[in-house]
Amino acid sequence: MPSHSGIMTVIERAARKAAPKLRRDFNEVQHLQVSRKGPADFVSMADKQAEQTIYEELSHARPDWGFLMEERGEVAGDPSKPRFIVDPLDGTSNFLHGLPHFAISIAVEEVLPNGKREVTSALVYQPLTDESFWAEKGRGAWLTDQRLRVSSRRELPDALIATGIPFLGHGDFVQWSRIFGAVAPEVAGIRRFGAAALDLAWVAAGRYDGYWESGLKPWDTAAGVLLVKEAGGFVTDFRGGDRANERNEYLAANDQIHSRLHKLVAGALR
């Protein structure tokens, strides 16, 4: 296992600093289910407090770097320096309903000489299972000290595929339904667990063989996409191009499954 770089150490320390309070809040939110007011306000506060902890830790370590955060939005830094992309609680609805499937997602996005931005470090941390999925560009993807590789399955009938399902006020129901109708009859199963960062981390770990979703935010995908790529997988838009972020369409898998999935998805969208 390669040793953590300085910035990876900073990222993991920030996530682990926020994790105990999220674990305590998660246990508390299960009790709040029975209250008439409901736990929504409580969860919003848990989200913001986790983000504040992460922000304080990261800004202390790198005071001139900027941020893109789910709650706080964009925080300007030195434009020539990298920025952090942070989702302090990916899977908020799961958390809200007492479902133990959520994660902290932190990525580092650097400015390239041509002015474009590229994610170079990534962490997806599951506080309840203490699973730390991390990657650095060119250094592979890891689960703590275990090297990650995408699934080696090659045929769709053997493949377990993850997705996100549109819901009230979010997503394109018609597009998703067409893709689902094309993919579902061809694969071993489809799962919707409700945390995009973990979905991508699980593709990197070979737990899922593929994944598709659209309508996501940068903080949902920045870390997970690097994890998949560094684990030997492919991430494209639905048409197989390199405009996933621009189109806000994400199709992730190993090379064989990706090729087969891409044909189904692209065909469904014609």
Side-chain angles (χ1 to χ4, degrees), residues 2-265:
S3 59
H4 276 179
S5 67
I7 191 57
M8 202 68 234
T9 301
V10 165
I11 290 171
E12 182 144 15
R13 186 187 303 131
R16 289 184 178 278
K17 185 87 177 279
K21 182 69 162 59
L22 277 180
R23 285 193 288 267
R24 289 194 299 271
D25 287 345
F26 179 72
N27 289 330
E28 185 67 19
V29 82
Q30 292 175 297
H31 298 303
L32 291 176
Q33 293 296 333
V34 299
S35 71
R36 193 162 43 179
K37 182 179 179 184
D41 292 341
F42 179 85
V43 171
S44 176
M45 188 57 64
D47 206 328
K48 289 174 181 173
Q49 287 174 344
E51 186 173 279
Q52 180 64 24
T53 298
I54 293 167
Y55 175 75
E56 288 173 359
E57 285 289 309
L58 297 180
S59 58
H60 176 73
R62 297 292 188 274
D64 50 354
W65 289 20
F67 287 81
L68 180 62
M69 313 184 82
E70 182 180 22
E71 302 296 336
R72 195 179 291 247
E74 195 159 0
V75 178
D78 182 335
S80 67
K81 296 288 179 68
R83 69 174 178 173
F84 296 106
I85 303 177
V86 178
D87 189 341
L89 180 54
D90 181 59
T92 305
S93 291
N94 287 345
F95 193 100
L96 174 68
H97 289 86
L99 299 180
H101 190 76
F102 55 90
I104 296 167
S105 176
I106 304 175
V108 171
E109 185 183 67
E110 295 191 22
V111 182
L112 300 178
N114 62 8
K116 292 186 177 180
R117 292 178 174 270
E118 180 181 46
V119 173
T120 54
S121 300
L123 173 74
V124 175
Y125 180 68
Q126 218 292 27
L128 298 182
T129 61
D130 192 34
E131 289 181 307
S132 178
F133 301 89
W134 63 278
E136 294 187 276
K137 189 174 184 333
R139 302 184 76 207
W142 303 80
L143 173 53
T144 309
D145 59 355
Q146 177 187 346
R147 184 70 185 260
L148 295 181
R149 300 295 299 177
V150 291
S151 162
S152 60
R153 293 185 182 89
R154 305 174 69 83
E155 303 297 334
L156 286 178
D158 302 322
L160 186 65
I161 308 299
T163 187
I165 301 175
F167 57 95
L168 180 64
H170 295 79
D172 184 332
F173 290 89
V174 173
Q175 181 195 71
W176 185 87
S177 298
R178 289 171 68 180
I179 295 172
F180 178 81
V183 172
E186 305 295 330
V187 300
I190 292 179
R191 299 290 181 267
R192 198 282 195 194
F193 282 5
L198 277 173
D199 285 341
L200 288 163
W202 284 17
V203 172
R207 298 177 185 179
Y208 290 140
D209 301 297
Y211 165 78
W212 92 87
E213 191 166 358
S214 61
L216 296 165
K217 301 294 185 183
W219 46 81
D220 295 321
T221 59
V225 165
L226 183 64
L227 279 164
V228 173
K229 290 179 177 178
E230 287 294 317
F234 290 82
V235 183
T236 69
D237 58 41
F238 288 167
R239 293 154 184 80
D242 61 359
R243 298 166 66 189
N245 292 338
E246 183 183 335
R247 292 182 179 274
N248 202 354
E249 300 170 346
Y250 297 87
L251 182 64
N254 68 33
D255 58 345
Q256 295 290 325
I257 296 294
H258 188 284
S259 174
R260 290 163 169 72
L261 269 183
H262 160 240
K263 289 173 183 171
L264 291 175
V265 172

